[in-house]
Amino acid sequence: MAYQFTFEPIAANWPLLVQGAALTLALTAVSATVGLAVGILGAVSREWRLPFLHSFFTAYVECVRNTPFIVQLYFIYFGLPALGVRLNGWEASVLAMVVNLGAYSTEIVRAGVAAVPKGLIEAAESLAMSRWQCLRHVILRPALKTVWPALCSQIVIVMLGSSVCSQIAAEELTFEANLIQSRTFRAFEVYLASTLMYLALAIAVRKSLHAFGKHCIRRGRA
């Protein structure tokens, strides 16, 4: 029997998909903001070999980059309660995404810091700038300008990876798609719609990040 396509159940449940997409964007916004901050701190700590922080971030990056995201998520959501730390689905999802993005962005930003011409740093030192003034005014902006496309791609990857968070009942896009599918049994239509929504979100986030980088970083406003 030929499959009968119908998108009426999708149209009837579109508010759930929109709600899930909104939560996906919220997860991405929070994790990107905090994760990039962690990445910058980690990059500076590793590049300057700051005491304790260098060893901590070295171990942190190796652990996160060599383990699956879903294992990190399960460890936070199911493992931490054994230590008395209980997080709901939203909190565990944000923390897992921050931890994951922070590790990858550490290495990305570190590559940008290493690419800053030594002459600029020497010029800053000759002007009696402190190490932190040099970082803020001389190193950070050129470094971020160099690696911003890679950071944008990594943020989009983390956003798409947030679909795994449906496994701990975080009500993001995949969770809502699974819910609609369980109610309507229209798997093809539901997952086609969610696929197109993820595609639209990825393109929108990438373009927004590129616009932000062009406006704030390349023009010297960050």
Side-chain angles (χ1 to χ4, degrees), residues 7 173 188-203:
F7 288 90
L173 181 54
F188 181 87
E189 292 88 340
V190 170
Y191 292 120
L192 175 62
S194 61
T195 297
L196 294 176
M197 291 183 73
Y198 272 117
L199 177 61
L201 288 176
I203 294 173

Side-chain angles (χ1 to χ4, degrees), residues 8-21 173 176 180 197:
E8 290 181 5
I10 309 303
N13 290 279
W14 71 266
L16 289 177
L17 291 175
V18 172
Q19 177 180 307
L173 181 54
E176 301 294 0
I180 296 171
M197 291 183 73

Side-chain angles (χ1 to χ4, degrees), residues 2-215:
Y3 185 81
Q4 298 295 320
F5 294 97
T6 175
F7 288 90
E8 290 181 5
I10 309 303
N13 290 279
W14 71 266
L16 289 177
L17 291 175
V18 172
Q19 177 180 307
L23 184 60
T24 295
L25 287 177
L27 285 171
T28 303
V30 175
S31 62
T33 302
V34 182
L36 288 181
V38 172
I40 291 172
L41 177 60
V44 173
S45 299
R46 296 196 68 187
E47 191 66 20
W48 287 356
R49 306 186 71 84
L50 299 180
F52 174 71
L53 287 177
H54 171 74
S55 299
F56 170 78
F57 275 103
T58 298
Y60 159 61
V61 168
E62 288 302 312
C63 287
V64 172
R65 294 180 69 192
N66 291 288
T67 55
F69 175 67
I70 192 170
V71 173
Q72 299 161 18
L73 180 66
Y74 283 176
F75 175 80
I76 291 171
Y77 187 70
F78 296 113
L80 290 185
L83 303 179
V85 181
R86 299 185 179 277
L87 303 174
N88 59 35
W90 161 265
E91 295 166 341
S93 298
V94 168
L95 181 56
M97 291 171 67
V98 166
V99 168
N100 188 271
L101 179 60
Y104 283 92
S105 60
T106 291
E107 290 302 280
I108 294 173
V109 176
R110 185 186 178 196
V113 171
V116 175
K118 300 299 182 183
L120 290 178
I121 300 175
E122 292 172 355
E125 292 173 346
S126 69
L127 294 174
M129 283 187 176
S130 68
R131 172 175 277 190
W132 298 108
Q133 287 176 325
C134 180
L135 172 66
R136 178 183 176 185
H137 299 290
V138 178
I139 298 176
L140 195 54
R141 190 176 296 136
L144 289 178
K145 180 180 177 181
T146 300
V147 301
W148 189 249
L151 286 174
C152 292
S153 296
Q154 191 60 45
I155 291 171
V156 171
I157 290 172
V158 170
M159 183 199 73
L160 297 177
S162 68
S163 60
V164 175
C165 298
S166 63
Q167 300 299 311
I168 60 169
E171 297 177 356
E172 44 72 64
L173 181 54
T174 299
F175 178 91
E176 301 294 0
N178 290 338
L179 179 62
I180 296 171
Q181 191 276 332
S182 68
R183 292 175 176 176
T184 64
F185 302 101
R186 309 301 299 186
F188 181 87
E189 292 88 340
V190 170
Y191 292 120
L192 175 62
S194 61
T195 297
L196 294 176
M197 291 183 73
Y198 272 117
L199 177 61
L201 288 176
I203 294 173
V205 168
R206 182 176 285 108
K207 286 185 176 296
S208 298
L209 290 171
H210 280 304
F212 175 82
K214 182 178 180 180
H215 181 72

